[in-house]
Amino acid sequence: MSLFASLFRSGYLRAVDHALAQSLLHLRPDTPDDVLAAIALASRAVAEGHSCLPLTHAGEFLADLLPDRDTPRLPALADWLELLRASSWIVEGQVALLEGESLSLRRYWLHETRLATALLARLGSGEHLQLLTGGPGTGKTTRAAQRIVELSARSPQPLRIALAAPTGKAASRLGEVVNARLVEMETEAVPGAALARSQPIQACTLHRLLGWRHGGGVGHHAGAPLPYDVVVVDEASMIDLPMMARLLDAVAPDACLILIGDRDQLPSVDTGDVLAALCDAAERNPRLAARHTQLTTVHRQGESSEVGKLARLIRSGDVDTVMTGLRGSGFAGVRWREARDELFAPFCLEHALPAYRAVQAAATPALALALASRFRVLTAVREGPAGSQTLNALIASALDPAHRGDGMFQGRLVLVTENSQRHGLYNGDVGIAWPDEDGEPRVWFDGRTGLRAWLPSALPAHESAFALTVHKAQGSEFDQVLLALPERGARVLARELLYTGLTRCRNEIVLWASETALREAIAKRAQRWSGLAERLSQAGNSR
């Protein structure tokens, strides 16, 4: 059996990967089988978040996809590369491109090279790029506000300032913190603060900022740049490669772009890990290093909580210290429960129902949303006994036993799962089902102008939000968190997932996880293959 056929029949390739290669074979029947296999694997790599596939790691990639199977025998690397270099699909760059030993689909190669070019152009033109990174509570947003004031002090007229983040919750928090810091600095008579506050500064989602259109286009691009002098974007770790390329394309060449994020958080759900690539490149590119500020001192989180301490140990990969501390209840604010998956349902209800019943009993939807921000169940996966889908159904049925949780009952938390510019609702926005003054069911969202109510039937795609995957929770924070890992190792388990889940918590966290799952997660990095850091590094060293 050919390699291409074996990869598909064994489950390594998706239907779309197979279809791509089959279409190429239909157009050019003489395409070698190993070339088809390589292109299909590059397509499969995109689905795993990689913008390229280093063929030297192809076996490792397959083993990670299906760890319980013997991987198919791959061609000798030299022979494989020779075939690819001779293929018109590759040489002409029609479908994919080969750089060294790494294969990229044409679309993602273009995104990456365009982004690298735009970043390097900013590095060569004054201070038009700033990178602020650090963990939770290190003052990243405060530093961004200070930078706005510094820029305002140098300007003869008020600057046009935009604030944005990938999710509505993160954007709202960014706007609140930046504006509060500007008020403080104006009170302290910091030069530039009054000028910075002379015009309203509002925050929005990144999709809204760029004028996202149905079908994937954007209203702002190089030909129609954003009308701002300063653009501040928070939670940059959540921004995928295509979106970051669009953002750099849309920011005017003479505007200052400030990117804020925590490189140790989970990378974007989609392709790329741009923030990590920028941080890696900054270690080798002096010009980028000069624009990168890494903040390390934690200014937030109460002295009674050591969630941050645990998160930092996990970030460093110190498995033994973490396990010793958890066994001895050595981290204040952290409670570890090790048990089997089948015992999690009653445990989850015991911890979640008091918080969510308090939400149901609130006097108004605004108060209910405020209460809902205090507690959340977070999961590593969507399916299974400790998956968000299972737990959402379980919690909803307990809160609405008469209808088994399948309707818009009062207090149901609702997560929007697709962008809808028409509604002004975006993937990640959380609302609450609550009757209006006539007793009719509505779903309320907290927008820039206050609460807005929607008919349930008018909402874009959505699901319950009592339990969120850690990915979906990025950009949010809660006073208390119940974080559940599956009993048996899952492919998604990695140091970044555990770190991100822990840092969604302000005060107290209950961690449900087997020791095996914890050790596996701490030992594994969520590695993304990309050529971006190398492009930026080579350019930095060549000048």
Side-chain angles (χ1 to χ4, degrees), residues 396-411:
S397 294
L399 294 174
D400 185 35
H403 300 92
R404 294 179 298 179
D406 56 0
M408 286 295 182
F409 58 91
Q410 178 170 318

Side-chain angles (χ1 to χ4, degrees), residues 278-468:
L278 287 172
C279 293
D280 289 342
E283 297 178 0
R284 294 173 282 174
N285 183 328
R287 289 184 298 157
L288 184 54
R291 315 291 174 79
H292 179 204
T293 302
Q294 170 72 22
L295 303 174
T296 56
T297 303
V298 178
H299 304 284
R300 193 179 67 214
Q301 215 168 54
E303 295 181 1
S304 61
S305 175
E306 292 184 314
V307 176
K309 177 182 176 182
L310 173 59
R312 290 189 291 275
L313 287 170
I314 288 170
R315 182 181 62 193
S316 66
D318 194 342
V319 179
D320 291 335
T321 302
V322 168
M323 298 312 306
T324 299
L326 289 175
R327 287 194 200 96
S329 301
F331 301 104
V334 180
R335 183 153 65 94
W336 176 36
R337 178 68 182 271
E338 182 181 16
R340 298 187 303 276
D341 275 353
E342 57 265 29
L343 300 178
F344 184 61
F347 184 86
C348 177
L349 289 178
E350 176 188 347
H351 284 75
L353 289 184
Y356 291 137
R357 283 183 173 140
V359 170
Q360 281 188 304
T364 66
L367 289 173
L369 280 171
L371 284 172
S373 69
R374 297 180 182 177
F375 172 84
R376 200 59 47 95
V377 178
L378 301 183
T379 70
V381 295
R382 286 179 58 83
E383 300 177 352
S388 60
Q389 288 184 326
T390 302
L391 300 176
N392 272 318
L394 180 73
I395 294 168
S397 294
L399 294 174
D400 185 35
H403 300 92
R404 294 179 298 179
D406 56 0
M408 286 295 182
F409 58 91
Q410 178 170 318
R412 180 188 174 189
L413 295 180
V414 177
L415 174 74
V416 174
T417 58
E418 72 175 13
N419 299 314
S420 175
Q421 190 171 10
R422 179 171 66 88
H423 293 84
L425 295 173
Y426 298 90
N427 186 8
D429 287 351
V430 174
I432 192 162
W434 206 270
D436 63 13
E437 57 186 12
D438 297 320
E440 295 298 319
R442 296 288 187 270
V443 182
W444 302 76
F445 291 87
D446 192 1
R448 288 187 292 177
T449 58
L451 286 188
R452 295 182 300 156
W454 295 95
L455 285 168
S457 60
L459 289 178
H462 57 275
E463 59 189 35
S464 290
F466 301 110
L468 300 175

